Amino acid sequence: MQAVQVQRLSDDLGGVALTELPMPVPALGEVLVRIEAAALGFPDLLMTRGGYQAKPSLPFVPGMEGAGTVIEARGGNRLREGDRVIVGGLTGAVAQYGAFREEAVVPLPARLDMAEGAALRAAYLTAWVALVRRGQAVAGEWLLVHGAAGGVGLAAVDLGKALGLKVIAVASTQAKRDAIASLYAPDHVIDGGSGFREQVLAITDGRGADLVYDPVGGDVFDESTRCIAFNGRLLVIGFAAGRIPQIGANIALIKGFSVVGVRAGEYGRRFPERGAENIESILKLAGEGRILPHVHARYAMSEWASAYRAMEQRNVIGRSVILPHQS
């Protein structure tokens, strides 16, 4: 089979290649899936450089999420040959076939095509754990979403609207702001440059945002502490800006807000029952048509490098998807 493989770590994708690999053989408790679509997220890019917190042993096939058709299921009674499914894990999705643990394979909602299904799991689970589990969001609260054009940011905008939150989406370019407004109609879409504090305070009549969803870090985090409401929750998703910010405990004390770390995957591992509830909640919302992942572009397998570079250049709105059986 064909697969993209990270053979050595490199800052320029020089250690990544499209190659031929043996067909995977599922072990007991695993499911063999013909992968029809693999969605790319920023962690997939970071792993090619060794810059992500999880560092798979070399060589490895990248891809944390995908969708496809069950070919063989060993040891379980839940899945059958021909089932349309979503798969998840640290690696393995950017390939024509993959063997995945049965518990990491879930049904693909009928409303979604393969590319949309591939783009659902990681981004929307991050948003769900952030807003519902860690942020304890209440309908009617103000949600400020940074990096709203990215995969996890756009999912938070979509999910926030589905939860009845008043959403302020932040993006750096007019094209991205226009796309976000067209896709999910947040209550406000604002510029991501300096000065968003004043815009947020004006929109909320001086109250500030009850929830701040921050996958960016750096200066964005710093300024967010100046426009968060009393009893607000500043949700730390990641550090796409590169700088890990610091905050004095006195600021959180005086302004009465919480800084809350969000690790959706680890949350599910620590609390398996809640983790299963999380994915069921996302699948239910998608099945009802209340949320819908946005696929920015679909790439043939031979175009894998273009897909990665578009993500590297911050040109992707939502998720890009690689189609392993298209050459």
Side-chain angles (χ1 to χ4, degrees):
M1 69 167 187
Q2 281 195 320
V4 171
Q5 187 181 59
V6 180
Q7 297 167 344
R8 61 180 176 83
L9 302 179
S10 161
D11 289 337
D12 62 358
L13 299 176
V16 187
L18 181 61
T19 187
E20 292 282 340
L21 294 177
M23 277 283 291
V25 178
L28 190 64
E30 289 187 334
V31 179
L32 179 64
V33 176
R34 175 187 161 98
I35 302 170
E36 305 292 349
L40 295 180
F42 205 65
D44 296 303
L45 177 64
L46 292 178
M47 274 190 270
T48 70
R49 304 169 175 177
Y52 191 57
Q53 59 257 35
K55 295 176 171 54
S57 300
L58 293 169
F60 65 90
V61 173
M64 300 177 73
E65 53 185 338
T69 306
V70 173
I71 301 299
E72 180 184 356
R74 296 201 61 204
N77 299 314
R78 183 171 60 88
L79 297 167
R80 293 285 185 272
E81 180 181 340
D83 285 352
R84 298 167 75 246
V85 294
I86 296 171
V87 300
L90 181 62
T91 60
V94 190
Q96 292 180 320
Y97 296 87
F100 302 90
R101 292 177 297 105
E102 185 176 15
E103 59 267 30
V105 180
V106 298
L108 173 64
R111 284 177 176 266
L112 304 187
D113 65 22
M114 289 290 183
E116 292 164 342
L120 175 71
R121 186 172 184 148
Y124 281 82
L125 273 179
T126 298
W128 180 269
V129 171
L131 299 181
V132 176
R133 294 295 192 178
R134 302 289 286 141
Q136 299 291 299
V138 176
E141 288 189 309
W142 283 104
L143 166 65
L144 176 64
V145 180
H146 292 297
V152 295
L154 199 59
V157 172
D158 189 16
L159 181 61
K161 292 296 293 181
L163 295 173
L165 300 173
K166 295 180 288 188
V167 179
I168 305 170
V170 186
S172 59
T173 70
Q174 189 61 51
K176 289 179 178 179
R177 292 192 289 273
D178 289 345
I180 295 165
S182 174
L183 287 166
Y184 298 123
D187 299 87
H188 299 270
V189 186
I190 65 175
D191 190 349
S194 61
F196 69 79
R197 167 184 177 271
E198 287 77 12
Q199 296 180 74
V200 171
L201 291 175
I203 288 167
T204 61
D205 295 324
R207 172 186 175 82
D210 300 289
L211 297 121
V212 178
Y213 186 93
D214 181 17
V216 180
D219 295 344
V220 163
F221 177 96
D222 296 341
E223 190 164 354
S224 293
T225 66
R226 303 183 183 101
C227 61
I228 190 169
F230 192 87
N231 199 39
R233 289 82 80 201
L234 205 170
L235 304 165
V236 180
I237 313 299
F239 312 105
R243 178 173 69 85
I244 298 176
Q246 297 182 341
I247 182 173
N250 62 314
I251 297 174
L253 170 66
I254 293 167
K255 299 199 69 175
F257 68 86
S258 304
V259 178
V260 182
V262 178
R263 290 185 64 196
E266 187 63 19
Y267 187 95
R269 286 186 287 273
R270 297 288 182 116
F271 309 110
E273 189 171 308
R274 291 183 221 168
E277 292 171 357
N278 294 341
I279 188 63
E280 285 300 321
S281 298
I282 295 304
L283 293 173
K284 183 173 185 290
L285 288 171
E288 294 170 349
R290 295 174 60 193
I291 58 173
L292 178 65
H294 174 62
V295 177
H296 176 83
R298 304 173 191 228
Y299 294 87
M301 189 71 135
S302 59
E303 301 171 317
W304 70 267
S306 296
Y308 271 85
R309 290 195 178 101
M311 187 167 52
E312 184 178 37
Q313 294 161 4
R314 317 275 178 156
N315 291 332
V316 177
I317 296 170
R319 284 277 196 255
S320 286
V321 169
I322 294 175
L323 308 175
H325 293 275
Q326 289 190 15
S327 57

